[in-house]
Amino acid sequence: MQQEDRRTLSREYFSKERLAEHHYRSFNAFLNRGMQEVVTEKGIIDTDIGDKEGEEPVFVELGDIRVVTPRVREADGSEELLYPQEARLRNITYAAPVFMEMTIVKGEGDDKRVVDSTETKVGRMPIMVGSEKCNIANFDKEDLVEIGEDPADPGGYFIVNGSERVLMTSEDLAPNKILAEYDTKYGDEIQVAKTFSQRRGYRALVLVERSRDGLLEVSFPSVSGRVNFVTLVRALGLESDEEIVHRVSDDPEIVKFMLENLEAAEVQTQEEAIETLGKRVASGQGKNYQLKRANYVIDRYLLPHLHEDGVEEEEVRINKAYYLARMAEACFELALGRRDSDDKDHYANKRLKVSGDLMKDLFRTALNKLARDVKYQLERANMRNRQLSVNTVVRSDVLTERLEHPIATGNWVGGRSGVSQLVDRTDFMGVLSHLRRLRSPLSRSQPHFEARDLHATQWGRICPSETPEGPNCGLVKNFAQAMELSQNIEDEQELKQELSSMGVEGIPGIESIEGSAD
């Protein structure tokens, strides 16, 4: 290849759009799909109206949500288009109004009637410079120069109160994936299979441990200590010894391990298992409450990623039991030397949270805050016998404040700090470096030697030399020059159908399709 050709190729590859493309794609996906997904998850805002005898219940149904392009409200009440340079100079936020369809419904069943239904402004969403909704998205070089913008500016950041803030790409362990490893926290080396089960922003760590005496125990949120494995899978619906053993493995050596667990089992039936669990999660309470609480805990906190809308609860529980059996098999395979310990630093076991994913987490908490405020305003209006209307119960500054403040300070939901940072404007390369930087959630004060080391799987993905000196060394990294970041699958159902057509069986939510793998 001639040197001139290489230059042309390089110039095309490292074009303005390419350098911050991962931020654009992620944020555009959030605006186009992510926001609506969060609203659909929420669905309804319930109120306490109707708790008194003879009072009709009132609730709010949430509909479509849309974002327009950035606007600024002037002192005379008029609304004008806002451009990034103006936002910087006037120290204001480059944000666009957000509108949502809301319907106040009174009564229940056949007596339901709509009190008020309208599309109302619920707040303002900070808009990424250069994204689809940005006012300068389709401007050419001359137009950009005319309004005072730098044509070479890569975008990919937000402007809040006049400051340019970039959301740092965050590195995390892959959710919903079984990782098996050795643990020495109890003095002896034990085998542990763990998974970070994640659904709709909630993340639960589930552990299956093989103790020194060979017995399996499970730890998951809201249950103190560890629960016997056999007790838990029986509570989930796998009652017979044969079925439990078969689901874990048919290998003779693993079967021998499982028989030891079955001999030491505390319970034999599903009812006994749920009673035992109830005593753990609600000790000292009445029997009915214990059973109710035990069922709630295993449905809500155990492996939440296996929940699927429209799937029967019994089927979900069986799927959870099968998943735990797979985790138990991973522990036994590790103990028998059939598999190696999983490498947490291998890049296949990691996922990156880009701007859109971070904004989705933020929007979810902001919407919950808005929902609580709407509930309070509705109850107050009802108590004072006022006319219930959408426009009077929605205060738009509630959502706006919850979206702008974390971007302005960097203090994100989930107790994370430093997620948003002031764009490094030292020079052009500094801006590009900052937009393509990623950070690890690990503590800076701990050694974490292996996490800081250059891993072979970072080849072609992470720059081997660009990392800070000092406590951040190896924890703050940068993308390699020609790195391409893949996004999440847009249509999960389509992927499941494709796998099913190739002969993969037992995919939840998919009817069996005849077919075989090529």
Side-chain angles (χ1 to χ4, degrees), residues 70 226 352:
R226 294 181 293 281
L352 300 180

Side-chain angles (χ1 to χ4, degrees), residues 164-391:
E164 297 171 332
R165 313 283 304 191
V166 60
L167 298 189
M168 300 296 290
T169 304
S170 302
E171 196 178 75
D172 222 336
L173 275 176
N176 313 332
K177 185 174 182 178
I178 299 170
L179 298 175
E181 60 185 17
Y182 294 104
D183 200 327
T184 52
K185 64 182 173 184
Y186 304 114
D188 292 338
E189 197 174 68
I190 61 168
Q191 294 82 37
V192 179
K194 66 179 178 183
T195 187
F196 289 95
S197 181
Q198 186 173 305
R199 182 176 187 258
R200 295 182 176 175
Y202 174 64
R203 192 173 168 104
L205 173 62
V206 180
L207 298 170
V208 174
E209 300 175 7
R210 183 173 178 266
S211 60
R212 283 167 290 188
D213 49 9
L215 296 182
L216 291 171
E217 293 173 317
V218 184
S219 311
F220 63 100
S222 84
V223 179
S224 58
R226 294 181 293 281
V227 181
N228 181 276
F229 173 82
V230 177
T231 302
L232 191 56
V233 291
R234 282 203 164 123
L236 289 166
L238 287 187
E239 282 194 271
S240 73
D241 291 3
E242 186 186 350
E243 201 177 4
I244 294 171
V245 172
H246 168 69
R247 277 295 158 189
V248 174
S249 180
D250 291 328
D251 183 278
E253 290 190 67
I254 295 179
V255 168
K256 198 172 89 178
F257 284 146
M258 274 311 298
L259 291 174
E260 289 173 14
N261 276 272
L262 289 164
E263 281 168 20
E266 310 160 345
V267 295
Q268 300 304 319
T269 65
Q270 187 173 2
E271 290 75 25
E272 286 176 17
I274 291 176
E275 278 178 30
T276 305
L277 197 61
K279 287 171 187 168
R280 286 286 301 276
V281 295
S283 58
Q285 303 290 329
K287 189 176 178 182
N288 285 347
Y289 178 78
Q290 284 184 351
L291 295 176
K292 186 179 169 186
R293 179 70 186 160
N295 282 307
Y296 178 78
V297 163
I298 58 178
D299 288 339
R300 176 84 187 268
Y301 299 109
L302 177 65
L303 299 169
H305 78 278
L306 293 176
H307 282 273
E308 206 162 329
D309 297 328
V311 179
E312 289 292 318
E313 202 59 67
E314 287 75 20
E315 195 181 329
V316 171
R317 285 192 179 190
I318 287 294
N319 285 339
K320 287 183 179 184
Y322 293 169
Y323 196 93
L324 286 172
R326 180 67 197 87
M327 291 176 79
E329 186 186 19
C331 278
F332 291 136
E333 285 177 345
L334 200 60
L336 292 165
R338 305 262 176 85
R339 67 182 284 168
D340 292 328
S341 180
D342 283 301
D343 183 1
K344 284 187 289 191
D345 300 310
H346 193 293
Y347 241 72
N349 294 329
K350 293 193 177 185
R351 295 292 178 272
L352 300 180
K353 278 193 162 186
V354 204
S355 303
D357 309 307
L358 295 166
M359 287 301 292
K360 192 173 180 180
D361 291 344
L362 189 61
F363 181 66
R364 188 178 279 111
T365 57
L367 186 67
N368 287 333
K369 174 77 174 172
L370 177 73
R372 286 196 296 273
D373 189 68
V374 167
K375 175 178 180 283
Y376 169 74
Q377 296 294 338
L378 267 174
E379 288 166 2
R380 195 170 76 157
N382 183 68
M383 201 165 62
R384 297 178 180 182
N385 294 319
R386 288 184 183 159
Q387 180 68 33
L388 302 180
S389 94
V390 170
N391 290 323

Side-chain angles (χ1 to χ4, degrees), residues 54-61 103-117 388:
E55 194 177 43
E56 283 187 301
V58 174
F59 58 92
V60 181
E61 290 178 349
T103 307
I104 300 175
V105 180
K106 211 168 194 176
E108 53 190 340
D110 296 335
D111 297 331
K112 275 204 301 190
R113 62 189 187 281
V114 173
V115 177
D116 186 26
S117 180
L388 302 180

